[in-house]
Amino acid sequence: QVQLVDSGGGSVQPGGSLRLSCETSRLTLDYYDIGWFRQIAGKERERVSCISSTDGTTYYEDSVKGRFTISRDNAKNTVYMEMNSLKPEDTAVYYCAAEGPPYSGNCSIAEYWGQGTQVTVSS
């Protein structure tokens, strides 16, 4: 019922930028908060960002504040995450995820997931 297609990963040098996309449905954007998570090799998946379906407020983990920006384009049924000033430690598989009501407010209980897109930051 809730389907998410994430894309936009690739390989960049430190300091570079990428924009990830999470395409979903109109109904999903209306009722689900959408977040981005990442899984760094050897570590558990961690939350990166979130955007609320109710008021559009955004949330970021401390490690990406000031560098990453999550946004939504309702006309395209898509949530984006622009990543700037990328660092090698940002290398991970990135997943978008959806959380329905009752909302945590920060995507901490997301339950639907995209397939993931690889981001590699290296010299």
Side-chain angles (χ1 to χ4, degrees):
Q1 183 175 346
V2 175
Q3 298 185 47
L4 307 164
V5 179
D6 40 30
S7 62
S11 296
V12 298
Q13 294 183 334
S17 299
L18 286 171
R19 188 179 72 167
L20 305 184
S21 298
C22 178
E23 185 175 1
T24 186
S25 69
R26 175 72 271 171
L27 286 175
T28 297
L29 288 185
D30 284 344
Y31 291 102
Y32 290 82
D33 293 354
I34 305 296
W36 288 94
F37 294 69
R38 67 186 179 188
Q39 187 166 14
I40 297 171
K43 298 182 178 181
E44 294 295 319
R45 186 161 51 193
E46 64 179 1
R47 181 184 56 195
V48 176
S49 64
C50 181
I51 186 164
S52 171
S53 65
T54 55
D55 60 11
T57 57
T58 57
Y59 306 87
Y60 300 95
E61 293 299 302
D62 288 343
S63 63
V64 307
K65 286 181 179 177
R67 299 190 297 123
F68 292 8
T69 302
I70 187 170
S71 63
R72 69 198 308 156
D73 186 337
N74 290 333
K76 296 181 178 180
N77 298 331
T78 300
V79 171
Y80 301 99
M81 187 169 71
E82 183 178 1
M83 305 184 294
N84 298 316
S85 302
L86 284 163
K87 305 174 181 179
E89 52 263 45
D90 295 318
T91 296
V93 178
Y94 284 74
Y95 302 84
C96 64
E99 177 188 303
Y103 308 106
S104 70
N106 57 15
C107 298
S108 62
I109 53 172
E111 56 186 328
Y112 301 101
W113 301 86
Q115 291 299 308
T117 183
Q118 175 72 46
V119 171
T120 301
V121 185
S122 66
S123 300

